[in-house]
Amino acid sequence: MPPPQPNSSSVAIAILAEAPVPGAAKPRLIPLLGAHAAATLQERLTERAVATAIAANTGPLTLWCSPDATHESFLKLVTRLPITLKTQVKGDRGARIFAAAASAGGPVIVIGTDCPALTHVHIRAAATALQEGTEIILIPAEDSDYVLIGMQKPDAALFSNMPWGTGKVITETRARS
């Protein structure tokens, strides 16, 4: 099989974000922070992820919102920043990632909002790797998941029946790619 050809087009970014609804956002942090503070944290993490993606300047940016794109914080972002809002599909994390990636119609990087250590340099490096022909790129998380997945073309097999939340995600993803 010949090596993949470099792709000089832009690399889209899809961010999966939860609405900062008190009592629903960051439920594991509510006992420590309280419902309002947990929601505020979610809002700030989303803003940070969007700012980081914009700074990477790799291509169009879509904020995939849950449960829908009508929350006030999402609507404020779209009025101030060059982003598109879309509603996440229903289903597990794999279904949501796959739908966001497939919607890009070309090379795409998918991130969440829970890793403020992820910088525009990381995103730009991932985009460059995709533009140079890398099929899939991952940045692992400390919990054996990943904080970024980039791909030339989404493959449902990377996300179907994945053991989300088990500490086996990065290993299983690598085995499937």
Side-chain angles (χ1 to χ4, degrees):
M1 174 180 271
Q5 294 300 307
N7 180 345
S8 62
S9 68
S10 68
V11 177
I13 301 175
I15 301 174
L16 303 182
E18 299 289 325
V21 176
K26 301 280 174 231
R28 289 183 286 184
L29 294 178
I30 291 172
L32 179 65
L33 301 176
H36 180 72
T40 299
L41 175 61
Q42 176 61 49
E43 184 172 33
R44 292 200 175 129
L45 286 169
T46 299
E47 290 171 357
R48 168 91 167 87
V50 169
T52 299
I54 289 170
N57 194 30
T58 67
L61 172 58
T62 303
L63 185 64
W64 288 86
C65 309
S66 177
D68 60 50
T70 63
H71 190 277
E72 177 184 5
S73 69
F74 297 145
L75 297 175
K76 284 181 183 178
L77 283 173
V78 78
T79 62
R80 295 185 290 123
L81 301 168
I83 62 173
T84 299
L85 299 180
K86 292 192 178 179
T87 298
Q88 290 184 35
V89 300
K90 302 295 183 213
D92 70 4
R93 187 180 335 169
R96 296 186 314 248
I97 294 170
F98 178 72
S103 176
V108 62
I109 292 170
V110 182
I111 64 172
T113 61
D114 287 349
C115 187
L118 184 71
T119 69
H120 71 281
V121 174
H122 297 116
I123 295 172
R124 194 173 298 141
T128 299
L130 291 171
Q131 290 169 327
E132 291 174 350
T134 300
E135 288 294 319
I136 297 173
I137 186 160
L138 298 163
I139 296 180
E142 292 177 6
D143 66 357
S144 298
D145 200 331
Y146 48 81
V147 298
L148 175 152
I149 185 167
M151 60 206 102
Q152 294 291 340
K153 292 182 268 183
D155 179 357
L158 287 174
F159 308 106
S160 300
N161 300 312
M162 181 62 70
W164 302 109
T166 65
K168 298 177 183 178
V169 173
I170 196 88
T171 302
E172 183 66 24
T173 303
R174 286 180 174 143
R176 295 179 188 189
S177 59

